[in-house]
Amino acid sequence: MDFTFTPSEEQFRLELRQWLEEHLPPGWGTPGCQYPKTYEEWVRLRRQWDRTLYAGGYAGLSWPREYGGRGATVVEQVIYFEEIARARAPEELNRAAKLLLGPTIIHHGTEEQKRRFLPRILSADDQWCQGFSEPNAGSDLASLSTRAVRDGDTLVINGQKVWTSFATVADWIFMLVRTDPDAPKHKGITFLLADMRTPGITVRPIVQMTGSGEFCETFFDNVRVPVANVLGGLNQGWQVTATALSHERGTLAFHRHAMIRLEFDELIDMAKRITRRGRPVIEDPLLRQRLAQCHSEIEMLRWTLYSNLTKRLRGEPAGSEGSIVKLYWSELYQRIVELALEILGPASQIADGALAEEGGRWQQRFLKSRGDSIHSGTNEIQRNIIGERLLGLPR
Amino acid sequence: MDFDFSTDQYLGRDSVRSFLADRLPTTRLRHLVDTDTGFDRELWRGLAELGWTSVLLGEKHGGLGLGFLDLALLCEESGRALLPAPLVETAVMLPLALEAGSAAQCERWLPRVATGDAVATAALAGRDGFPLPSGIDVRARREGAWFVLDGEALVVPFAEVADVMLTATRVDDGDGIALFLVEPGDAGVSRQALPGLDPTIRAAAVRFGGVRLGRDRVIGEAGGGRPALERALRAANIALAFQAVGGAGRALEMAVEYAKVRQQFGKPIGSFQAIKHKCADMMVQYETTRAGACYAAWTIDAGAPDAEVAAAMAKAMCTEMFRDVAGAAIQVHGGIGFTWEHDLHFYFKRAKYLEFALGTPSQHREVVAATWLAKSSVEGDHR
């Protein structure tokens, strides 16, 4: 057992830390920082941040160098996520493309597809959105019904996708479509890349329960896409997707852990400042217990991640233990933000304006956290995966 | 970066697991529950021969001179097999406390611990249950060259068979701590057997009524025993956490095995999400808390500054996990899980013993919380 980083890993951390200090938007991460107010401003800022990362050589961290990536080791990826969380760097707008789509193209794409798409993902010239879920295909994703029918060298798409985040500003969509309705449901699916400017695509924003947000629904009405935009072969989409989804968890969870740790430390500061019956909340025996429990669980999450990381470093494939991590952090985080609101007391009801504590950010986190147990596979699906794949229970 | 045990450490684990499977099947455990002492000296000597009791001892005392990480997996196995013995007291607490002891004290006890000829226990806390800062109910008064001990320690495991009791006391009227090596023949020591909630842990209330001991029985300086006690407690808490992890691992296995074969409504019950998700939750709690125990074990050998908090977290999290997993395993088994005939109740009861040994989870969480008050502000190093 050894928790030390090598000198070159420490060097990577120091360089990144310094780079972040020099390149983050002015005042970023400090208490007085003025964050964007509107969705449009956020999108602009995050897209600009993607470009800054690219210029600094931090886009496509895990991608091989031959495809424009940095070829970073797994440990360097972990350090990257820990450091950008520590610096509270903006989230990349093109994250889904960098984490899911890029590695999938590298794995399954043709030379032409790699040449055409990969550089523009990293440079943020192409903004991508993800078209997997449908109104009737959420957890049961393989039952999706958006059709694509072949007509010569093109596929003609009809149907509807939902939760296509950032579709309003996306240049491209990577999506799953049904190309063989007669095959068993997992076998008739194709992974397809479509230009969002193609005639017949309509995007409608969906307002999230937070009141803001990036959700959209996207409609396809006789949308014609070249067959050359199929990724990984006709009717091979489910296998292609399985690779894509396994990229989504893994090192990214280190970012979640670091963010949760950062926010929890703020919560402790708040519990020292806010009083009940004239005493700081931190001295309340019951709330102290709950805070200590959350603190402990954040530490358990951290060591679970390091345990999984060790398996990666030994060359074991990323398995279903990602489900354990996802289940654990999402429910832990929901308990933390609920505890934060309890500590705020009556102030928890003031979500914005001059009287709101800390600009209302705990209320935003509280609302947003409900999505964490739903996206990327609901926690019920994660429990099925743990039960069936890790414990071997029957379906 | 390598957050795992070594191949050698796993090999040691495997040999111990097969030894215990052979020598301590639950049929044997059930037999021991009905004996006078609940303890098997032959089994203990066998464990000592495998090196269990000598991991932390120096070579000059017949030990292996290894670290806590080498002991952690053995503790896990002892929990898995529900070993009815004061392993943590003998193999962890006594050797670590004696790091502050005299050469004569070490020479008297450690070689016999290594061979399995001496069994130790620890008499630390009274009804509070948590020794530090205020749970010690035995007082040692100086009388010339002697100390006179009065008071009581509760739930002292295997006090009836112990050859030596590591005893924590307050000195005179102050808060200073002295650790004593008390022997069962010392005049004024009385032991009252306690019918245990966990029948596999034979515990006693130990009363000290004017027990006169010489300076040669004090470990280190009288009044300055706190660092040695803290060192012993820190490692013992992690050892208990590993025992909980071991027991929980077995209870989880039993639940999953049963869920695969037990049929109701024409299907294995493990195919129902009510059962499947319960098992998944058990596994999540098991895996995450076990990772915490592994980290805590590392802090001992590394001398990490957060060792105390890591130990407190591991103790609270792992023992509560074992409690939850053992309870859920009974639920998955349904009626058969509620019978004496089924082994699960032994796990359920051991979980409750471990949960409160050396303090309750809420007392350990308080250790975590106390670090925040000690700091004027959380490290605001966010940039």
Side-chain angles (χ1 to χ4, degrees):
Chain A
M1 219 174 263
D2 173 19
F3 281 97
T4 51
F5 291 95
T6 65
S8 80
E9 287 161 356
E10 291 295 354
Q11 183 63 25
F12 176 83
R13 186 189 293 277
L14 283 176
E15 279 172 18
L16 173 58
R17 201 173 279 187
Q18 189 176 353
W19 183 87
L20 284 167
E21 270 183 33
E22 288 163 4
H23 290 89
L24 278 170
W28 195 266
T30 59
C33 177
Q34 287 298 311
Y35 294 102
K37 287 284 179 211
T38 66
Y39 171 71
E40 289 73 19
E41 285 169 348
W42 266 114
V43 164
R44 209 161 30 243
L45 184 136
R46 289 176 59 176
R47 197 159 189 172
Q48 184 53 47
W49 180 241
D50 277 338
R51 295 198 173 100
T52 307
L53 282 171
Y54 175 67
Y58 289 106
L61 204 67
S62 66
W63 296 19
R65 284 180 184 274
E66 58 180 305
Y67 299 117
R70 196 181 174 101
T73 65
V74 177
V75 172
E76 285 170 346
Q77 294 170 48
V78 167
I79 292 170
Y80 171 79
F81 281 125
E82 286 182 347
E83 289 299 319
I84 60 165
R86 188 169 170 274
R88 299 162 192 267
E91 196 174 317
E92 295 144 85
L93 190 64
N94 227 2
R95 178 174 273 178
K98 290 187 212 172
L99 290 180
L100 266 85
L101 177 62
T104 310
I105 293 178
I106 290 169
H107 198 263
H108 296 280
T110 63
E111 279 313 308
E112 161 66 16
Q113 286 171 335
K114 290 176 187 175
R115 204 178 44 75
R116 178 176 175 197
F117 293 114
L118 293 176
R120 295 177 63 84
I121 291 175
L122 295 186
S123 63
D125 287 331
D126 287 341
Q127 174 62 41
W128 287 80
C129 64
Q130 178 183 343
F132 282 12
S133 298
E134 295 180 4
N136 290 314
S139 290
D140 184 12
L141 182 61
S143 70
L144 58 90
S145 61
T146 293
R147 286 276 281 124
V149 178
R150 186 157 187 167
D151 177 16
D153 285 343
T154 61
L155 287 163
V156 184
I157 312 170
N158 280 285
Q160 181 192 351
K161 293 291 177 182
V162 285
W163 327 139
T164 46
S165 298
F166 300 112
T168 50
V169 294
D171 305 297
W172 284 81
I173 182 168
F174 61 98
M175 61 191 299
L176 295 175
V177 291
R178 186 158 300 284
T179 36
D180 183 354
D182 300 324
K185 65 179 182 178
H186 292 86
K187 304 221 162 145
I189 294 171
T190 295
F191 198 114
L192 191 59
L193 313 176
D195 188 330
M196 288 294 282
R197 285 158 300 195
T198 316
I201 298 180
T202 315
V203 177
R204 272 215 314 250
I206 298 172
V207 180
Q208 294 171 208
M209 64 176 269
T210 53
S212 62
E214 63 246 24
F215 263 16
C216 297
E217 52 188 342
T218 304
F219 300 88
F220 298 82
D221 180 15
N222 287 316
V223 174
R224 301 181 71 87
V225 174
V227 172
N229 286 9
V230 168
L231 186 61
L234 269 179
N235 299 323
Q236 300 299 310
W238 193 254
Q239 290 87 319
V240 175
T241 312
T243 349
L245 288 178
S246 69
H247 284 111
E248 185 154 355
R249 304 185 197 107
T251 50
L252 182 58
F254 280 88
H255 186 250
R256 288 311 306 220
H257 167 267
M259 289 300 297
I260 292 172
R261 166 52 61 197
L262 213 61
E263 291 180 14
F264 184 79
D265 288 350
E266 294 172 13
L267 180 56
I268 295 295
D269 282 343
M270 197 165 82
K272 290 176 176 178
R273 180 168 54 76
I274 291 178
T275 57
R276 290 271 197 291
R277 298 189 192 184
R279 303 294 310 161
V281 162
I282 194 83
E283 294 178 19
D284 178 289
L286 285 175
L287 291 171
R288 270 163 79 85
Q289 282 284 315
R290 287 169 63 190
L291 285 165
Q293 178 69 18
C294 288
H295 172 89
S296 304
E297 291 179 28
I298 298 169
E299 289 300 284
M300 301 299 122
L301 170 63
R302 182 178 186 194
W303 307 124
T304 304
L305 289 171
Y306 273 98
S307 174
N308 293 346
L309 170 65
T310 298
K311 291 178 192 160
R312 280 312 74 66
L313 294 175
R314 289 184 182 172
E316 294 174 39
S320 308
E321 71 265 23
S323 294
I324 291 180
V325 167
K326 164 73 188 339
L327 194 55
Y328 195 69
W329 75 249
S330 59
E331 297 189 352
L332 164 60
Y333 186 57
Q334 287 170 354
R335 283 194 296 281
I336 291 172
V337 291
E338 283 181 19
L339 181 54
L341 262 58
E342 181 167 344
I343 287 171
L344 283 169
S348 69
Q349 302 304 308
I350 310 166
D352 204 355
L355 290 179
E357 287 278 357
E358 309 201 350
R361 61 183 166 177
W362 284 105
Q363 287 85 346
Q364 276 297 310
R365 290 165 178 168
F366 165 69
L367 295 175
K368 203 159 179 279
S369 75
R370 298 319 307 184
D372 290 330
S373 51
I374 298 170
H375 68 70
S376 317
T378 65
N379 284 12
E380 288 67 35
I381 290 294
Q382 308 298 347
R383 286 185 172 88
N384 281 349
I385 292 171
I386 293 166
E388 289 161 18
R389 296 190 205 158
L390 292 177
L391 295 174
L393 291 169
R395 291 177 68 86
Chain B
M1 180 60 59
D2 176 15
F3 187 27
D4 200 358
F5 292 94
S6 69
T7 310
D8 279 353
Q9 285 158 348
Y10 279 122
L11 284 174
R13 192 263 317 258
D14 293 346
S15 80
V16 149
R17 183 177 290 191
S18 63
F19 175 83
L20 286 174
D22 180 42
R23 298 283 293 275
L24 188 64
T26 46
T27 47
R28 175 74 187 149
L29 184 71
R30 284 168 181 272
H31 167 75
L32 283 172
V33 164
D34 291 330
T35 61
D36 282 346
T37 61
F39 179 73
D40 180 350
R41 223 168 244 279
E42 281 312 301
L43 175 70
W44 183 260
R45 287 213 173 84
L47 293 173
E49 275 167 33
L50 286 175
W52 272 35
T53 54
S54 32
V55 174
L56 298 182
L57 309 184
E59 287 173 14
K60 67 174 172 180
H61 297 120
L64 300 171
L66 297 171
F68 189 81
L69 283 167
D70 299 293
L71 189 60
L73 291 179
L74 307 186
C75 292
E76 186 177 11
E77 290 309 308
S78 73
R80 183 183 168 88
L82 301 173
L83 176 72
L87 177 72
V88 174
E89 290 75 9
T90 309
V92 178
M93 299 194 77
L94 183 67
L96 290 179
L98 277 178
E99 283 182 10
S102 67
Q105 288 167 341
C106 292
E107 200 46 51
R108 175 163 169 76
W109 292 112
L110 297 182
R112 294 168 63 203
V113 163
T115 56
D117 291 320
V119 175
T121 190
L124 304 178
R127 290 185 177 272
D128 183 280
F130 192 74
L132 291 171
S134 58
I136 298 170
D137 284 351
V138 181
R139 220 158 252 289
R141 280 177 288 104
R142 275 180 248 253
E143 285 189 8
W146 299 86
F147 290 91
V148 180
L149 275 56
D150 285 286
E152 185 184 52
L154 213 57
V155 198
V156 179
F158 297 94
E160 298 285 344
V161 298
D163 303 294
V164 61
M165 272 190 292
L166 178 67
T167 303
T169 67
R170 298 266 167 207
V171 181
D172 295 327
D173 295 324
D175 285 333
I177 286 167
L179 294 178
F180 284 88
L181 294 162
V182 177
E183 298 180 27
D186 291 331
V189 176
S190 63
R191 291 169 290 191
Q192 183 192 346
L194 305 171
L197 176 63
D198 176 357
T200 67
I201 297 286
R202 213 54 79 79
V206 178
R207 295 203 181 82
F208 301 82
V211 180
R212 289 176 73 83
L213 299 173
R215 285 193 188 281
D216 61 328
R217 298 293 194 87
V218 184
I219 298 175
E221 286 297 310
R226 185 161 178 150
L229 180 57
E230 282 177 344
R231 182 169 59 237
L233 284 173
R234 203 177 293 146
N237 276 317
I238 303 167
L240 293 172
F242 269 97
Q243 291 190 320
V245 168
R250 181 68 195 121
L252 173 57
E253 273 175 25
M254 289 161 82
V256 170
E257 283 163 15
Y258 189 75
K260 286 177 187 172
V261 297
R262 168 70 174 170
Q263 300 240 344
Q264 286 290 275
F265 306 100
K267 289 184 195 167
I269 60 170
S271 66
F272 300 119
Q273 287 184 333
I275 300 293
K276 185 179 291 177
H277 289 190
K278 188 184 282 293
C279 291
D281 285 334
M282 290 157 79
M283 184 176 203
V284 170
Q285 211 182 341
Y286 168 79
E287 288 285 342
T288 51
T289 54
R290 186 178 188 278
C294 293
Y295 174 72
W298 177 82
T299 66
I300 296 292
D301 287 351
D306 60 338
E308 189 190 4
V309 175
M313 287 193 290
K315 171 63 171 56
M317 296 295 290
C318 293
T319 59
E320 285 189 322
M321 176 277 291
F322 186 16
R323 174 199 66 196
D324 294 347
V325 165
I330 290 177
Q331 183 68 24
V332 168
H333 278 75
I336 193 75
F338 189 67
T339 64
W340 186 270
E341 178 195 353
H342 201 283
D343 291 336
L344 268 175
H345 68 99
F346 289 117
Y347 287 86
F348 185 68
K349 293 165 184 171
R350 178 62 67 89
K352 193 51 80 179
Y353 169 75
L354 291 172
E355 186 183 343
F356 297 143
L358 300 182
T360 64
S362 55
Q363 287 172 317
H364 285 281
R365 274 191 291 275
E366 180 54 34
V367 172
V368 179
T371 61
W372 297 321
L373 292 184
K375 286 185 212 164
S376 58
S377 171
V378 177
E379 296 145 70
D381 185 18
H382 293 153
R383 282 295 300 273

